Amino acid sequence: MQYLLLIYGEEAKEPQPDSPEFGPWMARWAAVSETFEKDGVLVGGQALMPIATATSVKLRDGKTETMDGPFAETKEQLGGYYLLDCPDLDSAVKYAAMLPVAEYGTIEVRPIMTFD
């Protein structure tokens, strides 16, 4: 079964690209991705641009409305995702716990719905 790992974190808690902590931080992500690949569960995944680049879209009365940023105000923002193919939820949770953001943020694990 496929599971989407939605990665929510606080941008302020993450190392910035020009900081000395950024290289080791990215190395941790690379190691996790390598583990997912080695274990044969990685289907895909990407990081997202910072929340300031987001645009939210609504359709109301036939009119498209857009606004800058996320629709809901929260401390944590969606920062990226992994799509994994795991035998069960327990396996997906095990992999989710490997993500560096799990130490201070939230990883939402959602099974992918299939329509047969």
Side-chain angles (χ1 to χ4, degrees):
M1 172 164 260
Q2 290 189 343
Y3 293 89
L4 188 63
L5 309 185
L6 297 164
I7 304 164
Y8 293 92
E10 292 182 53
E11 291 176 356
K13 291 188 176 184
E14 297 173 2
Q16 297 304 303
D18 57 350
S19 72
E21 297 84 13
F22 189 72
W25 170 253
M26 292 308 293
R28 291 181 65 195
W29 285 100
V32 168
S33 294
E34 187 176 306
T35 297
F36 292 174
E37 286 181 25
K38 179 181 62 81
D39 290 356
V41 298
L42 183 63
V43 176
Q46 290 293 328
L48 300 175
M49 295 293 288
I51 196 70
T53 66
T55 301
S56 294
V57 178
K58 298 183 202 179
L59 184 63
R60 300 293 185 266
D61 299 318
K63 182 182 175 197
T64 301
E65 300 176 9
T66 63
M67 64 181 174
D68 293 339
F71 180 76
E73 297 222 7
T74 63
K75 284 185 176 183
E76 295 180 342
Q77 298 89 29
L78 180 62
Y81 70 92
Y82 280 97
L83 180 59
L84 303 183
D85 192 356
C86 297
D88 52 40
L89 178 61
D90 290 339
S91 294
V93 168
K94 174 188 83 168
Y95 288 114
M98 293 179 186
L99 297 173
V101 171
E103 296 170 3
Y104 66 86
T106 303
I107 311 302
E108 181 180 346
V109 179
R110 299 272 301 269
I112 298 296
M113 186 179 293
T114 56
F115 299 94
D116 296 327

